[in-house]
Amino acid sequence: YDFLEENGFKYSSRLFPINVGLYGDNNFPVDLFNPARRGKFYEIPVRPFSILGVRIPFSGGVYFRILPKWVIKYFIRKLNARNEGVIVYLHPWEFCRNIPKVKTSLVGKVTTYWGIKKNERKLEDILKNFKFGPMYELLK
């Protein structure tokens, strides 16, 4: 964080507040916070949706691709109603319909290829139905 702040960055969104096996941690906060407790640098975690204390990732990557659009829209509506922002994050390759196929496990196939063909239309619908803005607006 010190390096990022020293080099002019104002925020990061690198923490994933859900343990999904390969990365993330359920102990990470879900709200914006100042990790160094000094300066003006903030961590803006990708907010999960919580049901009965269980954090559910939904707004990016494989989670955005595998979940039905109506579920994502429901989660965004509920969080917005509580005045909680949602970060939608997508990787450029997740829009590549001709992504090269590699030999991998079933889990690898799902996490890499599932939903790519519908991802662009899903994102367009989400963008039409909700207001989004730049990350720095979350710092206000």
Side-chain angles (χ1 to χ4, degrees), residues 31-101:
D31 293 313
L32 177 141
F33 68 98
N34 181 316
R37 295 190 172 91
R38 59 176 167 64
K40 293 185 178 187
F41 184 87
Y42 292 90
E43 176 66 27
I44 308 172
V46 173
R47 184 178 300 278
F49 189 80
S50 294
I51 298 175
L52 301 173
V54 176
R55 293 177 177 182
I56 302 167
F58 71 95
S59 63
V62 65
Y63 316 105
F64 186 88
R65 287 186 284 115
I66 66 173
L67 288 171
K69 184 171 45 180
W70 69 265
V71 171
I72 295 168
K73 290 167 87 170
Y74 174 81
F75 289 170
I76 293 173
R77 255 190 241 94
K78 287 292 193 183
L79 290 168
N80 286 174
R82 297 192 305 236
N83 203 30
E84 296 176 5
V86 173
I87 296 170
V88 173
Y89 66 96
L90 300 157
H91 308 97
W93 63 265
E94 291 179 296
F95 297 95
C96 182
R97 292 174 184 238
N98 298 321
I99 188 169
K101 301 286 191 231

Side-chain angles (χ1 to χ4, degrees), residues 1-14 32-44 139:
Y1 289 117
D2 289 340
F3 175 84
L4 292 173
E5 187 172 12
E6 288 166 9
N7 285 280
F9 288 87
K10 304 292 183 205
Y11 56 84
S12 163
S13 188
R14 69 182 190 95
L32 177 141
F33 68 98
N34 181 316
R37 295 190 172 91
R38 59 176 167 64
K40 293 185 178 187
F41 184 87
Y42 292 90
E43 176 66 27
I44 308 172
L139 297 176

